[in-house]
Amino acid sequence: PFRFALVTTGVTLLSACGGGASKYAGVEPDRLYEIAQTEFDEGNHGNAIEALDRLLVSHGDWDRIPEARLMLGEVYFDRGDYLTARAEYGRFLDRYAGHPMSADASLGICAALAELAPRPQRDQGYTQEAMSSCRNVVIDFAGQEQAARAAQISNNLRLTLAEKEYMTADFYFRRKMYDSAIKYYEFVVNLYPESEWAPEALRGIFEANTAIGYDDLADEARQRLLAEYPNSDAAAMIRVNDEGS
């Protein structure tokens, strides 16, 4: 009797667990997709994922399965689960290479990695990976809207890297480690000349060399700042200092 009770309890538990899993049992694929889309549009991510999982598992031969797989990635992305979103986009590309929606999946990976990129003061591993992924989208889908969006994401990430290099330089400057500061300021100027941090870095090079006593190098940085970034705040500060001298 005791053993029978255990078995009965086990069946009951399985039935209870299966009740949630079989929520969409018998529902046709078109209807499952419609339900998933509606739930997604209304922000009910859990319900959308449940419907899509049922669709993918039970109707693998449905002709719109690639769209369902891509939507699953989009749902996870919208929910803020970027690692899972990236994985789903990757599964799409692995299984449906050459599909017309491949550009969307590739952009999805680029965007998911960009969202995982940390603040400038943290390690930038995800930032580098995101930039690489985004560049691939730009190359592989040149001329398409997805390529333009990937390029914008990549440019924004470059600004993050520029800021990180500048913060490192500033860290050394504030501790009067001027040689190290100059090295990182130069990274910003040479690698990210289009960024807002480039003129600030040139001002840093000017001030660091002035502090060391390298007046010729300081003047060289000053002249470059005024010539290349005349409208920057850094250039304005240099002019104020010149007037006060």
Side-chain angles (χ1 to χ4, degrees):
F2 180 69
R3 182 176 180 277
F4 176 76
L6 285 177
V7 172
T8 303
T9 303
V11 171
T12 302
L13 288 172
L14 287 173
S15 298
C17 295
S22 61
K23 178 178 178 180
Y24 296 114
V27 180
E28 293 298 314
D30 293 273
R31 178 57 183 155
L32 278 173
Y33 188 87
E34 181 182 334
I35 291 171
Q37 185 67 69
T38 299
E39 297 287 3
F40 181 23
D41 292 342
E42 295 179 356
N44 300 320
H45 300 113
N47 292 339
I49 290 169
E50 186 176 351
L52 289 168
D53 282 343
R54 182 71 186 187
L55 176 56
L56 293 168
V57 170
S58 301
H59 304 282
D61 58 348
W62 187 51
D63 58 356
R64 296 181 65 188
I65 279 293
E67 294 176 52
R69 174 68 64 184
L70 185 63
M71 189 197 299
L72 186 58
E74 292 170 348
V75 174
Y76 278 115
F77 185 96
D78 195 63
R79 191 167 73 168
D81 188 348
Y82 302 116
L83 280 173
T84 306
R86 172 195 181 191
E88 291 299 336
Y89 290 133
R91 290 190 184 97
F92 178 98
L93 293 173
D94 289 341
R95 299 177 187 187
Y96 312 111
H99 190 278
M101 299 177 78
S102 292
D104 294 307
S106 297
L107 177 62
I109 293 176
C110 156
L113 287 169
E115 291 292 341
L116 289 166
R119 295 177 62 83
Q121 59 266 38
R122 303 287 295 278
D123 177 74
Q124 296 297 312
Y126 275 126
T127 304
Q128 297 285 5
E129 189 176 355
M131 289 179 64
S132 177
S133 176
C134 292
R135 281 194 294 267
N136 289 339
V137 178
V138 172
I139 294 171
D140 294 342
F141 303 99
Q144 298 186 37
E145 178 186 354
Q146 294 88 341
R149 290 171 60 190
Q152 183 59 56
I153 292 172
S154 181
N155 288 338
N156 291 340
L157 292 170
R158 279 179 56 80
L159 297 180
T160 299
L161 293 178
E163 184 177 0
K164 178 175 175 57
E165 297 290 3
Y166 180 83
M167 290 174 65
T168 302
D170 193 54
F171 170 86
Y172 285 120
F173 183 88
R174 286 185 281 106
R175 286 158 179 76
K176 299 183 179 182
M177 301 170 68
Y178 297 119
D179 288 331
S180 295
I182 289 170
K183 180 178 71 173
Y184 283 96
Y185 283 136
E186 288 177 343
F187 285 160
V188 176
V189 174
N190 295 328
L191 297 178
Y192 312 103
E194 80 286 1
S195 75
E196 63 181 295
W197 303 102
E200 294 296 334
L202 277 171
R203 183 168 68 90
I205 293 172
F206 164 75
E207 293 180 350
N209 278 304
T210 299
I212 296 173
Y214 295 162
D215 293 338
D216 55 336
L217 295 178
D219 187 61
E220 181 181 316
R222 173 183 169 279
Q223 293 296 335
R224 185 176 176 185
L225 170 59
L226 295 174
E228 297 181 14
Y229 304 96
N231 300 319
S232 65
D233 291 341
M237 293 182 68
I238 288 290
R239 294 192 192 95
V240 169
N241 291 336
D242 288 347
E243 293 172 0
S245 300

